[in-house]
Amino acid sequence: QVQLVESGGGLVQAGGSLRLSCAASGRTFSSYAMGWFRRAPGKEREFVAGIDWSGTSKYYTDSIKGRFTISRDNAKNTVYLQMNSLKPEDTAVYYCAADLWGVGAAGSSFGSWGQGTQVTVSS
């Protein structure tokens, strides 16, 4: 079983940056992939980025490519989402999730969700 806690959200102006963190506990962190998702007001939850257990393979949804970067530090049991050039449409609650059996790609079966962190981008 995996427990996840996100942090780093907040209010930022368009064009600004934020770095989200997700601290994991429970199962050995380096044994599974991780992902970031978001849910904007009135919309369904969507996959944002994923990373395999080693950090070698990374996956991104098209709308954030070139602006967001996912990374992980297995020594700190933490996955990050660096968000640059933020846009108002990036406003959402951001969640991290564990992919215990896959590689962290968009179609994987993610479980063990965190509670989410709010990101608000003002225009």
Side-chain angles (χ1 to χ4, degrees), residues 1 12 23 27 37 45 49 56 59 62 71 74 78 91-92 118:
Q1 198 150 3
V12 64
R27 186 166 167 169
F37 291 75
R45 184 177 63 199
T56 301
Y59 310 90
D62 286 346
S71 62
N74 287 344
T78 301
T91 295
Q118 176 71 46

Side-chain angles (χ1 to χ4, degrees), residues 10-80:
L11 173 64
V12 64
Q13 288 188 331
S17 298
L18 283 174
R19 188 177 81 157
L20 305 183
S21 299
C22 172
S25 60
R27 186 166 167 169
T28 302
F29 184 66
S30 60
S31 69
Y32 54 88
M34 292 291 298
W36 285 97
F37 291 75
R38 66 186 180 186
R39 187 192 301 271
K43 296 186 177 181
E44 293 188 354
R45 184 177 63 199
E46 66 168 341
F47 174 85
V48 174
I51 188 167
D52 72 352
W53 67 272
S54 68
T56 301
S57 297
K58 302 178 183 181
Y59 310 90
Y60 298 99
T61 193
D62 286 346
S63 63
I64 57 87
K65 283 182 180 177
R67 298 190 297 121
F68 292 10
T69 302
I70 188 170
S71 62
R72 66 189 296 159
D73 186 335
N74 287 344
K76 295 183 178 180
N77 292 351
T78 301
V79 63
Y80 304 98

